[in-house]
Amino acid sequence: MNIYTRNLERIEFVVTMGCTGKCRHCSEGSHVFGGEHIDGETAARAVAEVCKHYDIKSLMTFGGEPLLYPEAVCCIHRAAALAGIPRRELITNGFFSRDKKRIREAAEMLSDSGVNRIMLSVDAFHQETIPLEPVEYFAECIRESGIPIEVHPAWLVSAENDNPYNLRTKELLERFERMGFGADEGNVIFPQGNAKKFLAEYFDDAEELKNPYEDDPHDIRALCFEPDGGVLGGNIYKDDIMDIIEAYR
């Protein structure tokens, strides 16, 4: 076994960089998008193969907005469920269609595929450009499907800081709480991409921050697949995932 991946326990898929929001806090910047997204069947094969060799405890799909391609998302989660991965999570902003039939269909697909936790991105930043009505309808459909769902807010500076963005986020959380939806701890915005550009006044340039999304290159705990199939310097459209892992240095 490759010594750099001996502690591998998680798989992540950036399903697409395409997004339905234009958030000023986004670490990925403008999300320039040409329609690229992960191929569900290729991704599913990679999941199954990795799980033969590693004790994977969690899998997450996110983006961009992953539910622009729900079939690919569900293909990945079905493979995760079959492989016995216990935590199978999805992060979504909940806005991928205005068609209620399509929204309900996607919720049922997610339930059938084995997703067992949904983190719904609702906060001052997402709701600057994303309408609430379809997001609320999606949340209701997910609840009816039986999947646990929580609001997953982005906090500026900290959850305790009383800046205007956090105050608006707290209003939105109260709205969802009245609907019966709880919230998790969320995440604190990292100064990268749009956040560094549009929210610079809230960050201290002199303070050194560790990017919470980066692994130690000498101790890879999570495989993160890009929409083009890229992972650990290789690509699952060209090479076997285990060959890629063994070749990693």
Side-chain angles (χ1 to χ4, degrees):
M1 179 180 289
N2 190 327
I3 61 168
Y4 302 116
T5 62
R6 63 190 180 282
N7 294 317
L8 183 64
E9 62 179 7
R10 179 174 171 83
I11 300 174
E12 300 175 345
F13 285 94
V14 183
V15 174
T16 177
M17 289 306 299
C19 196
T20 52
K22 296 180 180 178
C23 301
R24 69 176 66 204
H25 77 302
C26 184
S27 62
E28 296 297 335
S30 62
H31 278 265
V32 176
F33 178 55
E36 191 170 55
H37 64 281
I38 196 79
D39 176 73
E41 292 186 3
T42 305
R45 286 194 295 271
V47 169
E49 190 62 28
V50 171
C51 287
K52 292 176 184 177
H53 302 272
Y54 292 90
D55 180 19
I56 302 299
K57 296 178 172 61
S58 66
L59 177 144
M60 177 180 283
T61 50
F62 56 101
E65 176 41 55
L67 291 182
L68 289 170
Y69 303 98
E71 288 80 7
V73 169
C74 291
C75 198
I76 292 167
H77 282 278
R78 275 194 297 273
L82 284 170
I85 299 176
R87 288 172 51 206
R88 303 179 297 277
E89 303 169 321
L90 165 70
I91 297 182
T92 172
N93 65 37
F95 180 50
F96 52 94
S97 175
R98 292 183 185 272
D99 182 345
K100 287 189 172 183
K101 182 179 178 182
R102 177 59 169 166
I103 294 170
R104 183 167 292 280
E105 178 184 53
E108 291 169 356
M109 287 168 58
L110 292 170
S111 179
D112 291 343
S113 72
V115 174
N116 59 17
R117 185 188 181 203
I118 290 182
M119 301 151 78
L120 185 64
S121 299
V122 171
D123 48 55
F125 302 100
H126 286 88
Q127 266 49 67
E128 279 189 318
T129 57
I130 292 172
L132 269 174
E133 184 181 358
V135 176
E136 290 172 337
Y137 183 71
F138 171 74
E140 294 282 8
C141 290
I142 288 297
R143 178 161 56 191
E144 290 172 19
S145 78
I147 306 174
I149 180 170
E150 296 173 299
V151 177
H152 182 70
W155 300 106
L156 184 58
V157 183
S158 71
E160 296 73 34
N161 190 280
D162 285 335
N163 60 72
Y165 294 102
N166 284 357
L167 293 176
R168 173 57 177 152
T169 293
K170 288 174 183 177
E171 290 175 1
L172 289 163
L173 296 189
E174 288 172 3
R175 175 172 176 151
F176 274 80
E177 187 175 9
R178 289 193 295 271
M179 296 171 61
F181 297 103
D184 64 18
E185 70 280 2
N187 65 284
V188 176
I189 295 165
F190 185 77
Q192 179 175 294
N194 280 358
K196 192 172 184 178
K197 180 179 178 181
F198 296 115
L199 302 169
E201 65 196 273
Y202 291 96
F203 301 113
D204 181 359
D205 288 337
E207 184 182 4
E208 271 202 46
L209 298 173
K210 185 180 185 302
N211 191 331
Y213 306 111
E214 288 184 358
D215 243 351
D216 177 353
H218 296 91
D219 185 16
I220 300 296
R221 304 291 181 110
L223 284 182
C224 189
F225 294 82
E226 298 296 329
D228 65 356
V231 60
L232 292 184
N235 193 293
I236 55 172
Y237 296 145
K238 300 175 183 176
D239 303 299
D240 180 84
I241 183 57
M242 294 311 300
D243 290 340
I244 293 171
I245 291 173
E246 288 305 313
Y248 172 75
R249 297 292 181 271

